[in-house]
Amino acid sequence: GAVVSQHPSWVICKSGTSVKIECRSLDFQATTMFWYRQFPKQSLMLMATSNEGSKATYEQGVEKDKFLINHASLTLSTLTVTSAHPEDSSFYICSAEGGSGPLHFGNGTRLTVT
Amino acid sequence: QKEVEQNSGPLSVPEGAIASLNCTYSDRGSQSFFWYRQYSGKSPELIMFIYSNGDKEDGRFTAQLNKASQYVSLLIRDSQPSDSATYLCAARLSAGDKIIFGKGTRLHILP
């Protein structure tokens, strides 16, 4: 149980384009989803917290107009990287929880912006 | 500033020995504690979680929590080369709160 599916697993896009990443909880309803970013050999950095039906809460320093998060249902949250630039190249990981249980992570999306 | 502190390592342990990973946290109100394993280039996977003081065992893994000392540990018995990874300790106040992660300890099991 507690499977979190994230797509795509990798994406290459050109600078200036937008990329959407999907995160789905497959066998539970995710009341809260979290989006993380991780650069090579660095720790996880929380970008934002999203609750179903409400606006996401962004961490300090994360541009909410650049990283658009939508949590339209209890099983789906999306992260859109708008006007991507090479410095946005990173490993993006979503996670979800269905209540008081632990956090479960998706497999991550490796974004490369050329 | 809520923090979770871990020694970055690398921690080198001979195969078959016990690996001991330690973690401290700053927020005394933290209620839930987690250990995740992350292989290079992969996302973290949950190993164990613990909510109550004492020990919790699952197979070769034992999590230990001491709230008075604000200390969490993970013991890995009969260490295997496949246990070589970065281990992330995490803490949170309550369900729905963001989880605070440590920077991870790199564990290397020597064949």
Side-chain angles (χ1 to χ4, degrees), chain B residues 11-58:
Chain B
L11 173 65
S12 295
V13 173
E15 183 176 357
I18 296 175
S20 178
L21 302 161
N22 304 312
C23 167
T24 59
Y25 59 96
S26 64
D27 193 330
R28 188 170 286 279
S30 298
Q31 298 295 319
S32 310
F33 305 89
F34 309 91
W35 282 100
Y36 289 86
R37 176 175 62 196
Q38 186 176 26
Y39 292 111
S40 180
K42 303 294 185 182
S43 68
E45 57 179 316
L46 180 69
I47 296 176
M48 292 193 70
F49 57 91
I50 186 167
Y51 301 149
S52 303
N53 271 330
D55 295 359
K56 180 181 178 182
E57 186 175 320
D58 183 2

Side-chain angles (χ1 to χ4, degrees), chain A residues 36 38 59 97 99-100 103 106, chain B residues 36 38 43 51 92 95-96 98:
Chain A
Y36 293 84
Q38 188 175 38
E59 294 300 301
E97 67 159 352
S100 59
L103 212 55
Chain B
Y36 289 86
Q38 186 176 26
S43 68
Y51 301 149
R92 76 193 306 183
K98 60 184 179 183

Side-chain angles (χ1 to χ4, degrees), chain B residues 46-96:
Chain B
L46 180 69
I47 296 176
M48 292 193 70
F49 57 91
I50 186 167
Y51 301 149
S52 303
N53 271 330
D55 295 359
K56 180 181 178 182
E57 186 175 320
D58 183 2
R60 295 188 297 114
F61 300 96
T62 298
Q64 299 174 316
L65 173 60
N66 184 324
K67 288 188 177 180
S69 301
Q70 296 176 233
Y71 178 90
V72 193
S73 67
L74 179 70
L75 301 178
I76 307 175
R77 289 181 297 282
D78 187 24
S79 297
Q80 304 296 309
S82 59
D83 294 327
S84 298
T86 296
Y87 289 79
L88 303 171
C89 173
R92 76 193 306 183
L93 284 176
S94 60

Side-chain angles (χ1 to χ4, degrees), chain A residues 21-35:
Chain A
I21 302 170
E22 288 190 351
C23 180
R24 294 181 184 272
S25 56
L26 297 186
D27 53 0
F28 66 101
Q29 292 186 323
T31 51
T32 307
M33 288 186 172
F34 302 88
W35 287 94

Side-chain angles (χ1 to χ4, degrees), chain A residues 65-79:
Chain A
D65 294 331
K66 180 172 184 60
F67 298 100
L68 302 179
I69 292 173
N70 184 282
H71 193 159
S73 75
L74 285 171
T75 59
L76 174 64
S77 177
T78 60
L79 167 68

